[in-house]
Amino acid sequence: MVNPQTDEIRPISVSESPEDKFREFLEIRGEKLTDPRRVLVRHIYSTHKHFDADELVRDLHDSGRAISRSTVYRTLRLLVDAGLLRELRLTNRTAYEHDYGYPDHDHLHCTSCNKVVEFRNEEILKLRDAVSRANGFRASGHRFLIEGVCSSCSRSHSPRRRLDLI
């Protein structure tokens, strides 16, 4: 589900809202969907972006929502366990993204500016499935992360003098 105009991964249709799915997960564990947890789920799913816990705390604070840092960290862990968020372990931080309601996709990570680009490639999916079949394995997903330097950072750090090329 990639938009060819923007290369944006588009959400897929799901039967339950993330909030309902989270409530169900918590009920199975004997826990409740408290107001702070509800605010977090709604805030996280109001936009599709990669974020880390500190960014989320800052966004919540900037929008006038006072939720403790410990509640944010505990709820992020629960959202990952519930299959609503996916953790991306990047070079210098752990980022989160929507898992529920989004198709399998992979990532490019610029180690200079921390930019994360999503992409979907059918050849990678075919290779994953072929390798799995060859080894008697049934794949349920994969994580593929390419680290490097984006074109903007490459241009800004390109050598200016001939001696820099040596």
Side-chain angles (χ1 to χ4, degrees), residues 125 128-142:
L125 295 173
R128 175 198 71 188
D129 293 341
V131 169
S132 296
R133 272 192 311 278
N135 289 282
F137 197 79
R138 187 178 67 196
S140 59
H142 71 276

Side-chain angles (χ1 to χ4, degrees), residues 15-78:
S15 59
E16 291 182 87
S17 73
E19 187 177 329
D20 290 340
K21 198 78 169 159
F22 193 42
R23 181 182 295 109
E24 179 184 321
F25 171 81
L26 291 170
E27 285 174 1
I28 290 169
R29 293 172 53 113
E31 298 183 46
K32 297 210 180 291
L33 181 60
T34 61
D35 285 337
R37 289 173 174 173
R38 181 179 290 107
V39 167
L40 280 166
V41 172
R42 288 179 181 174
H43 182 82
I44 289 167
Y45 270 85
S46 67
T47 61
H48 180 72
K49 65 178 187 174
H50 298 88
F51 63 92
D52 63 31
D54 291 333
E55 288 174 277
L56 180 57
V57 168
R58 208 170 27 256
D59 285 352
L60 290 164
H61 180 267
D62 292 348
S63 65
R65 295 179 176 101
I67 298 177
S68 74
R69 183 175 296 278
S70 61
T71 297
V72 168
Y73 276 93
R74 282 193 308 270
T75 304
L76 285 173
R77 180 80 258 141
L78 288 169

